[in-house]
């Protein structure tokens, strides 16, 4: 574990991702107060690849140039010094970090998703200008740079974290191991590279729950969160993509995209993403590039083999033959080193000699079969013994095949091919099992969303009438079983019709949302605030006597009266009438209790309004 995170120490030791070559020269130049566009253009021209990519960017649909740009200086002038600097920085980072030492970190998928994020946020900010698209493009590309930084600085330890943790656990594990997480490291790196504060604030806010803030930072944060979801859609296969698009619809409404417009927008982003992938050499066909586990090509594409023998001549001979047959071969000269190799590298097949010093082949097989990482390995035992009892002992230890020495290479290669088919089938079953778990989880999530939608009022986000009546019945049963009091509050906004008539239904909806928020804030944690319909609301107050419920009702009434909706400043104030019914026994059912609260409500409405009234059973 890293006891204290020291960014400057890592930076000085050059253990973090950093620009080089032309990009580094541009970064240093732009830091100078006397830097000019002409000087930046000259540096860009030195690098033909960077020149071509900048010209491609300024001529893209996202940038929206009014005429074709063919001159590097014109392109730099249009983009601006900072945008060119950031663009060169991001492309340099891709070139320097397309591969790395962290075996568990998928560098290709990382850059593919980062590029999808950058294309998406550039397209979004082109539609809704919060920042310049050329600047948001770079931020999108580097918005998750903290992951790459951890994989670069601590390859082995971060690899362990990736193996151990699911996505939702990774942040906590990173903090435990490195005293920082990748989200915080994102901000440190971007700040060190000179990105504007609005970018840092928006990126941080985009990872938090949505707020009602309408500032420029909050709007840009919402766009970044939306772009992050679109990036996931880009990398998904066709089946999963349809599921993710369904999840996008709610957030798309915040960005003025209806269902058809959303699909067209995402298709345009995906097309642009593939084009950019070709331009800057980022693989955007991650899904398509994965081999099919059940294809003939996969069956004969070679295995990751581990040879274990203390005979150097035997290892050399077999290793050469297996490599020529298309397999990837590693060797170990003892059972102990083989066990460690299996733990670290997870080969698909192990071919081991029986008789070795210390841990022999039989002990190795037994150990592998009793461990989680070795249960599914295909094991072949080589031995000079033709004894029948030895064969039975080896099979009982968990081997899959057995050959006697001297080994016939033709027979051994045939046995490997037979084992290869079993390995491939086993991998296909494991993939199918993972897919089933994945789609089961997606189905469960979809069902949860449907249940929430069925029980939620779209306007106020409060539970709706369906939920209110079901929950009322449940709480009533609990109250009767536990001999506890229960109260119901029926609420109705006073003179609400005049709001709709005077200001229109849009303002009326905003008043309802505003009032619902006040009700929720004034209620206690255990109270259940629901919207029955129109301007009528219901609050279920479990384990609450009549006098306490009356105090709750008065607190809500007072809050609504004092906190008027700002658009109605010149209008008659919005107030609420509340009827409260409470019960301590089972003389009445919940239906009757609801009717009593309704009667109390209309008693208030018939008198002065803007009041509360209690009735007990």
């Amino acid at each position: 574990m890293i006891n204290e995170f020291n960014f400057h120490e890592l930076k000085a030791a050059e253990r973090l991702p950093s620009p080089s070559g032309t990009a580094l020269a541009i970064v240093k130049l732009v830091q100078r107060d006397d830097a000019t566009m002409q000087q930046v253009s000259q540096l860009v021209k030195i690098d033909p690849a960077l020149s071509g990519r900048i010209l491609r960017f300024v001529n893209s649909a996202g940038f929206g140039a009014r005429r074709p740009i063919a001159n590097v200086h014109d392109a730099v002038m249009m983009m601006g010094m900072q945008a060119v600097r950031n663009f060169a920085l991001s492309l340099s980072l891709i070139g320097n970090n397309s591969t790395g030492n962290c075996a568990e970190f998928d560098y290709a998928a990382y850059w593919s998703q980062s590029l999808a994020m950058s294309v998406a946020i550039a397209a979004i900010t082109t539609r809704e200008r919060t920042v310049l698209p050329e600047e948001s493009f770079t931020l999108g590309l580097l918005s998750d740079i903290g992951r790459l930084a951890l994989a670069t600085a601590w390859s082995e330890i971060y690899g362990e974290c990736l193996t151990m943790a699911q996505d939702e656990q990774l942040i906590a594990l990173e903090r435990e191991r490195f005293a920082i997480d990748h989200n915080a490291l994102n901000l440190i790196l971007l700040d060190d590279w000179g990105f504007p504060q609005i970018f840092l604030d928006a990126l941080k806010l985009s990872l938090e729950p949505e707020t009602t803030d309408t500032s420029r930072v909050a709007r840009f944060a919402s766009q970044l969160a939306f772009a992050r979801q679109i990036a996931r859609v880009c990398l998904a296969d066709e089946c999963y993509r349809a599921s993710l698009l369904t999840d996008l619809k709610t957030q798309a409404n915040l960005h003025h995209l209806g269902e058809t417009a959303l699909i067209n927008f995402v298709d345009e982003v995906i097309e642009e993403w593939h084009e950019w992938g070709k331009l800057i050499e980022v693989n955007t066909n991650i899904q398509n590039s994965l081999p099919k586990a059940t294809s003939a090509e996969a069956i004969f594409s070679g295995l990751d083999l581990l040879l274990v023998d203390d005979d150097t001549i035997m290892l050399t001979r077999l290793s050469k033959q297996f490599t020529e047959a298309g397999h990837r071969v590693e060797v170990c000269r003892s059972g102990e080193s083989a066990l460690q190799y299996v733990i670290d590298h997870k080969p698909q097949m192990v071919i081991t000699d029986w008789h070795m010093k210390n841990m022999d082949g039989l002990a190795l097989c037994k150990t592998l079969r009793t461990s989680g990482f070795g249960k599914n390995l295909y094991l072949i035992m080589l031995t000079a013994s033709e004894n029948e009892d030895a064969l039975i002992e080896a099979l009982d230890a968990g081997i899959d095949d057995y050959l006697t020495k001297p080994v016939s290479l033709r027979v051994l290669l045939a046995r490997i091919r037979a084992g290869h088919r079993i390995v491939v089938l086993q991998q296909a079953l494991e993939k199918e099992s993972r897919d089933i778990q994945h789609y089961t989880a997606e189905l469960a999530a979809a069902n949860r969303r449907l249940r929430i939608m069925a029980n939620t009022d779209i306007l106020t986000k409060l539970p709706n009438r369906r939920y209110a009546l079901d929950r009322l019945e449940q709480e009533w049963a609990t109250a009767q079983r536990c001999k506890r009091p229960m109260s119901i509050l029926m609420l109705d906004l006073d003179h609400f019709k005049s709001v709709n008539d005077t200001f229109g239904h849009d303002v009326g909806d905003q008043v309802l949302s505003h009032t619902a928020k006040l009700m929720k804030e004034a209620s206690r944690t255990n109270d259940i605030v629901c919207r029955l319909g129109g301007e009528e609301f219901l609050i279920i107050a479990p384990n609450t006597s009549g006098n306490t419920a009356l105090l709750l009702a008065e607190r809500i009434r007072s809050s609504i009266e004092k906190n008027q909706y700002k658009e109605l400043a010149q209008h008659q104030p919005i107030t609420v009438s509340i009827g409260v019914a409470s019960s301590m026994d089972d003389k009445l059912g919940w239906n009757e209790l609801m009717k009593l609260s309704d009667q109390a409500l209309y008693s208030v409405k018939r008198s002065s309004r803007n009041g509360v009234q209690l009735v007990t059973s």
Side-chain angles (χ1 to χ4, degrees):
M1 173 180 170
I2 315 302
N3 292 323
E4 183 178 354
F5 179 77
N6 192 322
F7 171 76
H8 297 291
E9 181 180 323
L10 282 176
K11 184 180 176 182
E14 298 183 349
R15 290 172 57 191
L16 292 170
S18 59
S20 61
T22 304
L24 182 60
I26 292 173
V27 170
K28 290 182 177 179
L29 172 62
V30 173
Q31 288 174 343
R32 289 167 38 190
D33 294 334
D34 59 347
T36 66
M37 287 289 190
Q38 184 66 36
Q39 291 173 320
V40 174
S41 300
Q42 291 300 324
L43 279 178
V44 171
K45 290 176 184 177
I46 293 172
D47 189 331
L50 179 59
S51 299
R53 289 164 179 174
I54 285 179
L55 286 170
R56 167 70 175 82
F57 184 75
V58 296
N59 285 296
S60 67
F63 190 81
R66 296 182 180 179
R67 59 180 176 81
I69 305 299
N71 181 282
V72 170
H73 181 70
D74 290 346
V76 171
M77 290 291 291
M78 287 193 68
M79 286 184 67
M81 199 179 295
Q82 291 295 333
V84 170
R85 182 201 77 105
N86 293 342
F87 196 73
L89 167 68
S90 58
L91 294 179
S92 174
L93 289 170
I94 294 174
N96 294 342
N97 298 276
S98 57
T99 60
N101 296 324
C102 184
E104 293 78 9
F105 186 81
D106 192 334
Y107 292 86
Y110 167 81
W111 284 118
S112 187
Q113 184 159 354
S114 296
L115 180 60
M117 172 79 174
S118 67
V119 172
I121 189 60
I124 292 168
T125 52
T126 298
R127 294 182 75 255
E128 312 170 63
R129 286 297 179 109
T130 49
V131 299
L132 294 175
E134 56 270 29
E135 294 184 350
S136 67
F137 181 93
T138 306
L139 179 64
L141 200 59
L142 303 181
S143 62
D144 207 19
I145 194 70
R147 288 181 186 269
L148 178 66
L150 291 176
T152 303
W154 295 290
S155 303
E156 292 186 9
I157 303 175
Y158 196 54
E160 293 173 4
C161 292
L162 295 173
T163 301
M164 294 168 59
Q166 301 296 324
D167 284 345
E168 62 271 14
Q169 302 166 329
L170 185 59
I171 292 286
L173 198 55
E174 287 172 351
R175 289 172 182 164
E176 177 187 327
R177 296 294 181 89
F178 310 116
I180 197 170
D181 60 66
H182 65 263
N183 289 331
L185 191 49
N186 288 342
L187 302 177
I188 292 175
L189 283 167
L190 294 175
D191 183 46
D192 184 63
W193 290 332
F195 278 72
Q197 189 62 43
I198 184 178
F199 283 19
L200 308 184
D201 294 341
L203 185 59
K204 181 179 180 181
L205 188 60
S206 72
L207 299 168
E208 299 173 358
E210 289 188 16
T211 68
T212 56
D213 188 1
T214 57
S215 66
R216 182 185 174 205
V217 171
R219 286 186 288 118
F220 187 31
S222 176
Q223 292 173 329
L224 286 167
F226 187 39
R228 195 174 291 116
Q229 286 186 285
I230 292 176
R232 291 182 61 207
V233 174
C234 291
L235 267 73
D237 58 32
E238 290 299 327
C239 182
Y240 190 33
R241 183 175 291 171
S243 172
L244 291 176
L245 276 171
T246 301
D247 294 342
L248 269 181
K249 290 176 184 176
T250 301
Q251 193 163 359
N253 291 331
L254 301 176
H255 301 278
H256 313 292
L257 285 168
E259 185 171 345
T260 302
L262 170 64
I263 293 172
N264 292 336
F265 182 71
V266 170
D267 286 343
E268 290 170 5
V269 169
I270 291 173
E271 183 179 353
E272 187 79 2
W273 171 55
H274 287 305
E275 288 298 317
W276 268 104
K278 295 173 187 175
L279 180 69
I280 63 176
E281 298 176 0
V282 168
N283 183 8
T284 58
N285 294 297
I286 298 297
Q287 291 292 332
N288 297 333
S289 66
L290 295 175
K292 302 297 182 182
T294 56
S295 68
E297 180 185 355
I299 292 176
F300 298 107
S301 62
L303 282 168
D304 294 317
L305 290 179
L306 175 63
L307 279 175
V308 190
D309 201 321
D310 55 5
D311 185 338
T312 303
I313 296 175
M314 177 67 77
L315 284 177
T316 303
R317 175 183 170 226
L318 293 181
S319 178
K320 181 175 182 295
Q321 292 292 331
F322 294 160
T323 301
E324 290 177 354
H327 301 291
R328 297 167 294 280
V329 185
E330 293 293 337
V331 299
C332 289
R333 292 179 172 78
S334 68
E336 293 91 339
S337 61
L339 185 61
Q340 187 61 50
Y341 182 87
V342 171
I343 294 172
D344 293 340
H345 300 284
K346 301 176 180 60
Q348 295 167 294
M349 182 180 292
V350 174
I351 302 172
T352 180
D353 186 33
W354 186 325
H355 298 290
M356 295 180 291
K357 293 179 180 179
N358 298 323
M359 177 182 279
D360 62 16
L362 194 68
L364 173 63
C365 291
K366 288 179 178 178
T367 303
L368 289 173
R369 288 305 190 217
T370 56
S371 62
F373 53 81
K375 287 181 179 179
N376 296 326
L377 266 176
Y378 196 87
L379 303 176
I380 298 178
M381 179 77 79
L382 306 180
T383 180
S385 175
E386 298 182 6
N387 185 286
E388 189 176 274
D389 291 338
L391 171 60
I392 293 172
E393 184 180 7
L395 290 169
D396 287 343
I399 69 164
D400 296 291
D401 207 343
Y402 181 99
L403 277 84
T404 56
K405 294 179 177 180
V407 175
S408 165
L409 285 172
R410 289 186 61 203
V411 172
L412 181 52
L413 287 171
R415 298 290 182 89
I416 290 173
R417 287 195 296 273
H420 195 173
R421 283 190 287 271
I422 293 173
V423 168
V424 168
L425 289 172
Q426 182 173 292
Q427 289 177 339
L429 286 173
E430 290 174 354
K431 181 180 183 301
E432 184 177 346
S433 176
R434 289 194 301 271
D435 288 344
I436 290 172
Q437 292 176 7
H438 171 77
Y439 291 124
T440 299
E442 287 298 318
L443 181 60
N447 286 334
R448 285 195 299 272
R449 287 193 296 272
L450 286 172
R451 283 197 298 272
I452 291 171
M453 289 172 61
N455 290 305
T456 302
D457 175 59
I458 296 175
L459 176 63
T460 63
K461 302 300 184 290
L462 293 177
N464 60 15
R465 184 183 188 89
R466 180 204 302 268
Y467 180 88
L469 297 181
D470 287 345
R471 185 64 181 271
L472 187 55
E473 186 174 6
Q474 295 170 14
E475 293 296 339
W476 179 259
T478 301
Q480 298 307 304
R481 186 172 60 253
C482 301
K483 305 297 182 186
R484 293 174 180 169
M486 190 179 90
S487 297
I488 296 175
L489 285 68
M490 292 285 288
L491 306 90
D492 188 274
L493 299 190
D494 300 325
H495 307 295
F496 182 72
K497 184 176 182 301
S498 67
V499 174
N500 283 334
D501 292 344
T502 305
F503 298 95
H505 288 279
D506 287 346
V507 173
D509 287 348
Q510 293 170 31
V511 169
L512 287 172
S513 297
H514 173 74
T515 307
K517 182 174 178 288
L518 294 175
M519 290 180 187
K520 188 72 177 173
E521 290 173 349
S523 299
R524 303 164 303 177
T525 304
N526 293 332
D527 297 329
I528 303 110
V529 183
C530 309
R531 183 189 180 196
L532 294 182
E535 63 269 33
E536 292 185 333
F537 296 83
L538 168 74
I539 298 178
I540 305 168
N543 196 23
T544 303
S545 63
N547 290 333
T548 303
L550 195 61
L551 292 174
L552 170 63
E554 177 56 31
R555 184 165 67 246
I556 293 170
R557 186 207 63 76
S558 175
S559 176
I560 292 172
E561 183 180 34
K562 291 177 181 177
N563 298 283
Q564 292 294 303
Y565 184 62
K566 59 184 179 181
E567 298 294 332
L568 305 178
Q570 305 303 319
H571 186 261
Q572 180 177 3
I574 292 295
T575 58
V576 65
S577 298
I578 307 176
V580 184
S582 182
S583 178
M584 285 290 297
D585 52 42
D586 56 359
K587 290 179 183 178
L588 302 174
W590 62 268
N591 295 332
E592 287 76 12
L593 195 63
M594 191 171 175
K595 289 177 183 177
L596 286 175
S597 63
D598 199 36
Q599 291 170 9
L601 165 64
Y602 280 97
S603 176
V604 177
K605 298 286 280 187
R606 285 192 299 268
S607 56
S608 60
R609 302 179 188 258
N610 189 24
V612 300
Q613 183 171 315
L614 168 67
V615 61
T616 58
S617 64

